[in-house]
Amino acid sequence: MPVKAPSLAPVLPSIPVRTVDQMGLRELERIRLILRGGSVIDWRRMHFQTRDEVDRFLRLCQLDVSRPYDDAWGRTVLADAVEYLRKTFDYRVAEAVAEPEELHDLFLFASGAKGLARYRRIACIVLKVMHVIQHIEGRDLLFRLAASEAELAEMVTEKVLGVAREMQEMGLPIVEFAHSIKTRDSLVTKLIAKKETVAAQVYDRTRFRVITRKREDLLPVLYFLTQRLFPFNFVVPGQTENTLLPFKGLLAENPHFEQFIPQLHLDRDFEDREDRMGNAFSGDSYRVLNFVVDLPLRMDPYLPPPESDTRPRKGRVTFSLVEFQIADEETARRNELGDNAHESYKRRQKRRVLNRLSRGLVVPKRQG
């Protein structure tokens, strides 16, 4: 069996844990995006202030643009986005945005931290299109590689548990960080229970359960994950179940966030107007934050070295769907009691599956 090439994953500089009191508008927007399962496509401004901050974010996206091949790939995606906007909408993209001195400038333009005022709107639109194109490229790359689902799950697990060890070494108050992979039987049951019986719509094949010591530890742990493991903008829209940390409750518990309300992308009552459906099989008092992330993975072990890569499209990053389930220790304990217990959940799910399979095929009992 041939030995695979090593990964060329960028090195992330270490960062201190950010407490809730140290969090501002930037952190509030990123956390809210995860809590509601939103999309950065709806944003109108980024929140980067320095080049180093952008560089760290790009590395988290698995791009080290100090390397010529990563920079070239980033500029390929940028050129595709600019061409799309010009061709589809006849949109005038300023040359400073279309061909920046550094890719970092795009994010600083979109944050209003650099360049002319009009560059902010243009850069935001370009970055949104780049976000979509990069996902399309990542999916296409995965289809072209000889990487099995099991190998991807192994890569994901190694990456996530590596960050888990780091968090524990830094003293973050985590009492449990466990992972699980759905069995084939569980997948079959879940697909039949869902109205949309498409295998691609099972987002929790690889799932990580994170339990913090106290409720007040939830936000620092959640935000650290967005700084060390996955970029905040890679949360999968519409796949969050949040019965644990409602946004208004977060504001009430942390009054210093009130000063940022007028600057938010969405008004404070936005979640109240959303039509949210919880998990049909969970107990009424079950509380959890469940969200799905497109975790970026470098696929260098399955690709030729950059210097001998002759592919027409030279992307090296793909994505793997990963579910995170987060709660504090007391909430996790209550979630295992009575109607909330996992066995009760599975029983309700199996009942739904059996009813769906037998509908129209079982002769009703004779009535008296």
Side-chain angles (χ1 to χ4, degrees), residues 81-104:
V82 170
E83 181 184 10
Y84 166 80
L85 290 168
R86 287 173 172 170
K87 182 173 65 177
T88 307
F89 303 105
D90 197 23
Y91 191 83
R92 294 183 180 180
V93 180
E95 286 305 311
V97 177
E99 296 185 18
E101 289 185 23
E102 289 188 300
L103 287 174
H104 303 72

Side-chain angles (χ1 to χ4, degrees), residues 16-160:
V17 177
R18 187 169 290 272
T19 65
V20 178
D21 290 341
Q22 294 172 322
M23 294 181 183
L25 176 64
R26 172 185 62 187
E27 291 81 11
L28 183 60
E29 286 285 23
R30 294 175 179 180
I31 287 171
R32 188 185 195 184
L33 189 78
I34 296 172
L35 295 184
R36 59 177 293 270
S39 170
V40 290
I41 301 299
D42 300 318
W43 281 20
R44 60 180 182 274
R45 177 191 292 272
M46 295 288 105
H47 299 284
F48 298 96
Q49 295 303 311
T50 67
R51 182 190 183 281
D52 285 348
E53 189 184 346
V54 176
D55 193 71
R56 177 181 178 77
F57 176 76
L58 289 171
R59 288 169 181 263
L60 193 61
C61 295
Q62 298 301 293
L63 292 174
D64 177 359
V65 295
S66 68
R67 302 185 294 205
Y69 48 89
D70 276 0
D71 182 71
W73 175 246
R75 290 183 181 276
T76 296
V77 176
L78 168 59
D80 288 351
V82 170
E83 181 184 10
Y84 166 80
L85 290 168
R86 287 173 172 170
K87 182 173 65 177
T88 307
F89 303 105
D90 197 23
Y91 191 83
R92 294 183 180 180
V93 180
E95 286 305 311
V97 177
E99 296 185 18
E101 289 185 23
E102 289 188 300
L103 287 174
H104 303 72
D105 291 345
L106 280 176
F107 297 85
L108 296 175
F109 290 157
S111 304
K114 185 174 184 178
L116 302 177
R118 65 187 179 92
Y119 290 172
R120 182 180 66 79
R121 180 169 59 102
I122 300 170
C124 274
I125 292 172
V126 169
L127 282 172
K128 289 177 182 182
V129 179
M130 290 177 67
H131 175 73
V132 174
I133 291 174
Q134 177 66 357
H135 272 77
I136 293 173
E137 291 287 342
R139 296 292 181 214
D140 184 63
L141 174 62
L142 187 58
F143 291 139
R144 295 174 183 272
L145 297 180
S148 70
E149 211 166 272
E151 289 173 306
L152 278 177
E154 185 178 341
M155 291 173 69
V156 166
T157 301
E158 181 181 352
K159 181 173 182 176
V160 177

